[in-house]
Amino acid sequence: MTQAPARRPAGRRQHDREIVALALPAFGALVAEPLFLMTDTAIVGHLGTAQLAGLGIASALLMTAVSVFVFLAYATTAAVARRVGAGDLQAAIRQGMDGIWLALLLGAAVVAVALPTAPHLVDLIGASDAATPYAITYLRISVLGIPAMLVVLAATGVLRGLQDTRTPLYVAIVGFIANGALNAGLVYGADLGIVGSAWGTVIAQCGMAAVYLAVVLRGARKHDASLCPDAAGIRASAQAGVPLLVRTLSLRAILMIATAVAARLGDADIAAHQIILSLWSLLAFALDAIAIAGQAIIGRYLGAGDAQGARDACRRMVEWGIAVGVVLGVLVVITRPAFLPLFTSDPTVKDVALPALIIVALSQPISGIVFVLDGVLMGAGDGPYLAWAMLLTLAVFTPVALLVPVLGGGLTALWATMTLMMTVRMLTLWLRARSGRWIVTGATR
């Protein structure tokens, strides 16, 4: 007699539904920024290799300036989700408003520092003489959009914590369309070159921030949450984000070191690196969609006091991360011959990029585990461990990456070093997840 297939436990089906319901819309919102960058790269890439190299340098600096404050989204998601699990929506939204005020303050500070120091920052990366003026021009204009970008991060964290990833998806779609249209019109229609690309992105980012603010403010009024800045709340939000800031600074240092090494390999290498980094960022955000679901789900379970639900959700999300990583890796291998011509017509850049893309493809299952566990621990508010783990990863990566040009390695060797970095991250996160020390229940950690 044929045995009937075993049925999955109901809890697993529930986790799958929750993951899909939150992760699919989150993917669209998460990829907004890399898609903005990929659009800029595709448009600017056809202006010339020097322009593309300049964009690569400026984009690395801009992404660093914004990404160091990604805790505005991640810490807010975890804190809001815990309060949602505990049933206190008013406190949840109040927590989010503190994060938005903090975003505005930090954004103004970044603009004040970055505008006068733009030439020095570009020189620090090691741009060539041909790429430097383009990098400075793009950086000085695009930095004006940083306050809007930080507001988007904080407001997105509020909505994710409220288990709403659909609204960020809708805003991201409109923002992406607007960014593409503005870039094409200003770069080619108005013949502004790289200046038009920078202004197009800034305008689109400001529009997205305005929409997010309108949504969050409507929710605050609905639940009678105060809109006024609260010094104690802003200070508490900043303190909660310090460990995640250390974690993110370490990660951005890794990416900046990689960009600096690629720049010293030559203009073709840094141009190819920019293209690959744009793809890597897109793939990373795709995997991070599961992690975002993890932040919201884990925070909610822990806030409700359900430790076993948090454990089960973590296990299932890791399985999802591995599976999605395999699929993404296969897609990179299949599409790489058609992918590169979208960004450059330079045969030298293509030849440098092709083998490095294979390394990126092979590393995707590892990345799947890393991003999911990173999100789970963020959702649990386990920031201090994440900070120490990333500092360790930076200490391992730096000397190996700096040896690449010394030993005559090329871009492929550099991206092999990036895979080593992700492997170290995977090991540190897996050890923490296995220990169970991240599981702390209650409305606050």
Side-chain angles (χ1 to χ4, degrees):
M1 184 173 76
T2 304
Q3 185 177 2
R7 297 183 64 184
R8 293 182 301 166
R12 188 174 181 180
R13 291 196 299 269
Q14 178 184 350
H15 290 315
D16 285 346
R17 287 194 296 268
E18 288 181 333
I19 292 167
V20 171
L22 290 171
L24 283 181
F27 171 75
L30 281 168
V31 300
E33 193 57 40
L35 282 176
F36 277 22
L37 181 55
M38 289 182 75
T39 300
D40 293 354
T41 301
I43 293 174
V44 173
H46 292 286
L47 295 175
T49 300
Q51 287 92 332
L52 181 57
L55 173 64
I57 298 295
S59 295
L61 290 165
L62 285 165
M63 292 303 292
T64 297
V66 174
S67 296
V68 294
F69 301 119
V70 75
F71 70 83
L72 291 166
Y74 292 157
T76 302
T77 298
V80 171
R82 276 185 178 267
R83 286 163 175 78
V84 168
D88 192 347
L89 289 177
Q90 184 184 65
I93 295 178
R94 175 65 262 179
Q95 179 82 31
M97 289 302 305
D98 291 335
I100 290 174
W101 281 110
L102 179 61
L104 288 169
L105 293 174
L106 292 174
V110 171
V111 172
V113 171
L115 279 178
T117 61
H120 305 289
L121 293 171
V122 170
D123 183 63
L124 181 64
I125 297 297
S128 68
D129 292 339
T132 292
Y134 296 110
I136 294 173
T137 296
Y138 191 91
L139 179 60
R140 277 182 163 160
I141 296 171
S142 294
V143 76
L144 298 176
I146 284 181
M149 295 167 74
L150 298 190
V151 167
V152 167
L153 285 176
T156 300
V158 178
L159 296 178
R160 289 173 184 165
L162 293 170
Q163 317 293 297
D164 175 12
T165 56
R166 290 183 178 273
T167 299
L169 170 63
Y170 301 146
V171 177
I173 291 173
V174 175
F176 172 67
I177 294 172
N179 179 67
L182 287 166
N183 269 261
L186 294 174
V187 171
Y188 298 118
D191 198 25
L192 294 178
I194 198 169
V195 170
S197 178
W199 276 117
T201 302
V202 168
I203 294 169
Q205 288 163 344
C206 290
M208 292 175 64
V211 174
Y212 274 118
L213 283 174
V215 172
V216 173
L217 293 177
R218 185 171 65 245
R221 287 193 294 268
K222 178 179 178 180
H223 296 285
D224 198 27
S226 174
L227 302 177
C228 298
D230 177 66
I234 294 172
R235 185 167 54 252
S237 294
Q239 291 172 346
V242 168
L244 291 181
L245 176 61
V246 173
R247 169 255 181 206
T248 304
L249 282 171
S250 300
L251 177 57
R252 294 311 305 181
I254 288 171
L255 298 180
M256 292 296 291
I257 290 169
T259 299
V261 170
R264 283 161 175 78
L265 295 175
D267 277 359
D269 292 87
I270 184 61
H273 179 74
Q274 169 61 22
I275 294 171
I276 295 173
L277 190 60
S278 297
L279 174 63
W280 189 80
S281 298
L282 176 61
L283 297 174
F285 277 94
L287 292 168
D288 209 23
I290 306 172
I292 293 302
Q295 290 176 35
I297 293 170
I298 294 296
R300 193 187 74 237
Y301 275 123
L302 294 179
D306 188 353
Q308 187 58 48
R311 290 191 188 93
D312 294 342
C314 174
R315 185 179 305 110
R316 186 56 178 156
M317 281 181 284
V318 168
E319 295 171 355
W320 273 81
I322 295 171
V324 173
V326 170
V327 171
L328 292 176
V330 171
L331 288 175
V332 170
V333 172
I334 293 174
T335 61
R336 66 192 180 107
F339 172 77
L340 289 173
L342 296 174
F343 297 93
T344 182
S345 55
D346 189 330
T348 303
V349 175
K350 294 179 184 178
D351 290 342
V352 171
L354 277 171
L357 281 173
I358 293 294
I359 301 297
V360 172
L362 293 175
S363 69
Q364 289 311 297
I366 296 173
S367 297
I369 298 173
V370 168
F371 281 96
V372 167
L373 290 180
D374 204 40
V376 166
L377 297 183
M378 285 183 189
D382 201 16
Y385 181 83
L386 291 173
W388 285 111
M390 189 56 74
L391 285 171
L392 173 63
T393 303
L394 174 62
V396 173
F397 170 81
T398 301
V400 179
L402 294 178
L403 282 174
V404 169
V406 174
L407 298 178
L411 193 65
T412 301
L414 177 59
W415 276 93
T417 305
M418 292 286 286
T419 300
L420 169 65
M421 176 269 294
M422 294 300 289
T423 302
V424 174
R425 290 188 69 192
M426 179 183 69
L427 292 174
T428 58
L429 294 173
W430 177 77
L431 289 172
R432 185 63 168 183
R434 185 182 181 188
S435 73
R437 294 176 182 174
W438 53 277
I439 298 175
V440 178
T441 58
T444 58
R445 183 177 173 85

